[in-house]
Amino acid sequence: MRQLSTTLDALKRDQDNMRQLSTPLDALKRDQDDMRQLSTALDALKRDQDDVRQLSTPLDALKRDQDDIRQLSTPLDALKRDQDDMRQLSTTVDALKRDQDDMRQLSTTDDTLKRDLDKEGSRTAALEQRLHEMPSCPTGYTMFRGTCYKAFNTRKTFSDAAAACGEDGGTLAMPRDAETDTFLISLHSAVSGKRPFWFGLHDQREEGSFEWVDGSSLGTYNSWCPGEPNNNRGREDCVLHNSEDEWNDAPCNRKYRFICQIVPGRPLATGGTLTTNVLRLSDHPQ
Ligand SMILES: [Ca+2]
Ligand SMILES: [Ca+2]
């Protein structure tokens, strides 16, 4: 019994010891678990560190790039300033070119003006020369539309009147339009009132075919008195202005006042020849 009791006691002590041991053992187990967890975390940290290391390489590159960019920005700014300067220069050059073009145009205009002035001077001189050379009407003649006219207050046959005009270097007047005809009436009226007067129209060459003393045909204008020309008694081949200021054919050998005309500056040969023709025709027996 005693031995059993001793053993039992021993067992109880062992049990106590065991109990005492189990506590640190549990602690150890917990520590071991903690260690394991720590190891896992450490591994994770290590991986993170690797990742960071791997990241640091491109980051360094980025930093270097940033430095490079900073260094580049300085010349870039300089380039931008240069570019601005170039733009301003280009604007100035354009303005200068425009000025140059303006100058050229001005120079051309100036030359043109000088030439125009020279031309104008020459024209003025020529006109002055022509003015001096332009034959004015002889004494007693009056200018109308570039032709000189004179109303004679002496009575002559048609052929004698034509000859008198020829002596002045002209012909009997040939009013080819209403304005000239009206002018002749007023010119004659001023000299001898409402009396008939010869002018340069006749049908001596061909009966009924009236022509001017320069050989030209009558044309569109006429101022015949109603019923004229009637070639009365078959012997009316010369034309006069009657007292009603209208045209009438009359015998060429009758004596009436007359109006002559002279074209200034025109050679007299034509007029003279025609006058001769008229004279010759007029001399024919009626
Ligand atoms: Ca006739
Ligand atoms: Ca008549």
Side-chain angles (χ1 to χ4, degrees), residues 202-204 206-210 229-232 234-239 249-250 252 286:
H202 67 95
D203 69 336
Q204 297 175 98
E206 184 184 344
E207 175 54 38
S209 179
F210 288 88
N230 60 356
N231 198 36
N232 190 30
R235 53 188 182 93
E236 293 186 339
D237 294 337
C238 293
V239 183
D249 57 340
C252 297
Q286 297 291 319

Short mmCIF file of all heavy atoms in Angstrom, two decimals, residues 202-204 206-210 229-232 234-239 249-250 252 286, ligand 1:
data_model
loop_
_atom_site.label_atom_id
_atom_site.label_comp_id
_atom_site.label_asym_id
_atom_site.label_seq_id
_atom_site.Cartn_x
_atom_site.Cartn_y
_atom_site.Cartn_z
N HIS A 202 -28.40 122.97 -158.67
CA HIS A 202 -28.89 123.12 -160.05
C HIS A 202 -29.19 121.75 -160.66
O HIS A 202 -28.77 120.70 -160.10
CB HIS A 202 -27.83 123.85 -160.90
CG HIS A 202 -26.59 123.04 -161.08
ND1 HIS A 202 -26.38 122.25 -162.20
CD2 HIS A 202 -25.48 122.90 -160.31
CE1 HIS A 202 -25.19 121.65 -162.09
NE2 HIS A 202 -24.64 122.04 -160.96
N ASP A 203 -29.90 121.74 -161.81
CA ASP A 203 -30.10 120.49 -162.57
C ASP A 203 -29.75 120.74 -164.03
O ASP A 203 -30.43 120.27 -164.94
CB ASP A 203 -31.53 119.94 -162.41
CG ASP A 203 -32.59 120.81 -163.07
OD1 ASP A 203 -32.33 122.03 -163.25
OD2 ASP A 203 -33.66 120.28 -163.42
N GLN A 204 -28.67 121.50 -164.24
CA GLN A 204 -28.25 121.85 -165.60
C GLN A 204 -27.69 120.65 -166.35
O GLN A 204 -27.78 120.57 -167.57
CB GLN A 204 -27.17 122.95 -165.56
CG GLN A 204 -27.69 124.26 -164.95
CD GLN A 204 -26.58 125.29 -164.83
OE1 GLN A 204 -26.44 126.17 -165.68
NE2 GLN A 204 -25.82 125.17 -163.77
N GLU A 206 -28.57 117.34 -165.91
CA GLU A 206 -29.65 116.40 -166.27
C GLU A 206 -30.96 116.92 -165.67
O GLU A 206 -31.03 117.09 -164.44
CB GLU A 206 -29.35 115.00 -165.74
CG GLU A 206 -30.38 113.96 -166.17
CD GLU A 206 -30.11 112.59 -165.55
OE1 GLU A 206 -28.97 112.36 -165.06
OE2 GLU A 206 -31.03 111.76 -165.54
N GLU A 207 -31.93 117.19 -166.51
CA GLU A 207 -33.19 117.76 -166.04
C GLU A 207 -33.82 116.93 -164.91
O GLU A 207 -33.93 115.70 -165.02
CB GLU A 207 -34.19 117.85 -167.22
CG GLU A 207 -35.57 118.32 -166.83
CD GLU A 207 -35.56 119.65 -166.07
OE1 GLU A 207 -34.75 120.54 -166.43
OE2 GLU A 207 -36.34 119.78 -165.10
N GLY A 208 -34.15 117.64 -163.85
CA GLY A 208 -34.81 116.97 -162.71
C GLY A 208 -33.84 116.31 -161.75
O GLY A 208 -34.24 115.88 -160.67
N SER A 209 -32.55 116.22 -162.15
CA SER A 209 -31.57 115.59 -161.26
C SER A 209 -30.70 116.69 -160.63
O SER A 209 -29.71 117.15 -161.20
CB SER A 209 -30.70 114.62 -162.07
OG SER A 209 -29.72 114.03 -161.23
N PHE A 210 -31.13 117.13 -159.45
CA PHE A 210 -30.44 118.25 -158.80
C PHE A 210 -29.16 117.80 -158.12
O PHE A 210 -29.11 116.74 -157.51
CB PHE A 210 -31.38 118.94 -157.81
CG PHE A 210 -32.46 119.72 -158.50
CD1 PHE A 210 -33.67 119.12 -158.87
CD2 PHE A 210 -32.26 121.06 -158.83
CE1 PHE A 210 -34.65 119.83 -159.52
CE2 PHE A 210 -33.25 121.78 -159.50
CZ PHE A 210 -34.45 121.16 -159.85
N PRO A 229 -39.53 121.62 -157.13
CA PRO A 229 -39.18 122.35 -158.37
C PRO A 229 -40.15 121.99 -159.52
O PRO A 229 -40.48 120.82 -159.68
CB PRO A 229 -37.76 121.82 -158.64
CG PRO A 229 -37.74 120.43 -158.08
CD PRO A 229 -38.66 120.46 -156.88
N ASN A 230 -40.56 123.01 -160.29
CA ASN A 230 -41.55 122.77 -161.35
C ASN A 230 -40.99 122.93 -162.76
O ASN A 230 -41.68 122.72 -163.74
CB ASN A 230 -42.76 123.69 -161.16
CG ASN A 230 -42.37 125.17 -161.21
OD1 ASN A 230 -41.18 125.49 -161.31
ND2 ASN A 230 -43.37 126.05 -161.16
N ASN A 231 -39.68 123.37 -162.85
CA ASN A 231 -39.04 123.55 -164.17
C ASN A 231 -39.97 124.35 -165.11
O ASN A 231 -40.21 123.95 -166.25
CB ASN A 231 -38.68 122.18 -164.78
CG ASN A 231 -37.66 122.30 -165.90
OD1 ASN A 231 -36.76 123.14 -165.84
ND2 ASN A 231 -37.81 121.48 -166.95
N ASN A 232 -40.49 125.46 -164.56
CA ASN A 232 -41.49 126.28 -165.26
C ASN A 232 -41.03 126.65 -166.66
O ASN A 232 -39.92 127.12 -166.88
CB ASN A 232 -41.75 127.55 -164.42
CG ASN A 232 -42.95 128.33 -164.95
OD1 ASN A 232 -43.89 127.75 -165.52
ND2 ASN A 232 -42.91 129.64 -164.79
N GLY A 234 -40.05 124.89 -168.81
CA GLY A 234 -38.94 124.04 -169.24
C GLY A 234 -37.59 124.73 -169.22
O GLY A 234 -36.65 124.29 -169.87
N ARG A 235 -37.46 125.82 -168.44
CA ARG A 235 -36.17 126.53 -168.44
C ARG A 235 -35.75 126.97 -167.03
O ARG A 235 -35.17 128.04 -166.88
CB ARG A 235 -36.21 127.72 -169.40
CG ARG A 235 -37.37 128.69 -169.16
CD ARG A 235 -37.40 129.72 -170.30
NE ARG A 235 -38.47 130.70 -170.08
CZ ARG A 235 -38.26 131.87 -169.46
NH1 ARG A 235 -37.06 132.19 -169.04
NH2 ARG A 235 -39.26 132.71 -169.32
N GLU A 236 -36.06 126.18 -166.05
CA GLU A 236 -35.63 126.49 -164.67
C GLU A 236 -34.67 125.41 -164.17
O GLU A 236 -35.10 124.33 -163.78
CB GLU A 236 -36.85 126.61 -163.74
CG GLU A 236 -37.73 127.81 -164.10
CD GLU A 236 -38.84 128.02 -163.09
OE1 GLU A 236 -39.19 127.06 -162.38
OE2 GLU A 236 -39.37 129.14 -163.00
N ASP A 237 -33.36 125.73 -164.23
CA ASP A 237 -32.34 124.73 -163.85
C ASP A 237 -31.44 125.19 -162.70
O ASP A 237 -30.50 124.48 -162.34
CB ASP A 237 -31.47 124.40 -165.06
CG ASP A 237 -32.27 123.70 -166.15
OD1 ASP A 237 -33.33 123.10 -165.82
OD2 ASP A 237 -31.85 123.77 -167.32
N CYS A 238 -31.70 126.38 -162.13
CA CYS A 238 -30.88 126.85 -161.00
C CYS A 238 -31.80 127.16 -159.82
O CYS A 238 -32.95 127.55 -160.01
CB CYS A 238 -30.09 128.10 -161.42
SG CYS A 238 -28.84 127.72 -162.68
N VAL A 239 -31.26 126.99 -158.62
CA VAL A 239 -32.11 127.04 -157.43
C VAL A 239 -31.77 128.25 -156.56
O VAL A 239 -30.59 128.57 -156.34
CB VAL A 239 -31.97 125.74 -156.60
CG1 VAL A 239 -32.90 125.76 -155.39
CG2 VAL A 239 -32.29 124.53 -157.48
N ASP A 249 -36.80 126.41 -158.10
CA ASP A 249 -35.95 126.42 -159.29
C ASP A 249 -36.39 127.60 -160.17
O ASP A 249 -37.58 127.92 -160.26
CB ASP A 249 -36.01 125.09 -160.06
CG ASP A 249 -37.43 124.71 -160.48
OD1 ASP A 249 -38.39 125.25 -159.87
OD2 ASP A 249 -37.57 123.85 -161.37
N ALA A 250 -35.37 128.23 -160.74
CA ALA A 250 -35.63 129.46 -161.52
C ALA A 250 -34.69 129.50 -162.71
O ALA A 250 -33.69 128.76 -162.75
CB ALA A 250 -35.41 130.68 -160.62
N CYS A 252 -31.67 130.26 -164.90
CA CYS A 252 -30.30 130.53 -164.44
C CYS A 252 -29.81 131.92 -164.86
O CYS A 252 -28.89 132.46 -164.25
CB CYS A 252 -29.35 129.46 -165.01
SG CYS A 252 -29.71 127.79 -164.43
N GLN A 286 -30.35 128.01 -173.52
CA GLN A 286 -31.46 127.35 -172.82
C GLN A 286 -32.47 126.78 -173.80
O GLN A 286 -32.80 127.43 -174.77
CB GLN A 286 -32.15 128.36 -171.90
CG GLN A 286 -31.24 128.88 -170.82
CD GLN A 286 -30.86 127.84 -169.76
OE1 GLN A 286 -31.73 127.08 -169.36
NE2 GLN A 286 -29.62 127.80 -169.35
CA CA B 1 -34.90 122.19 -164.45
#
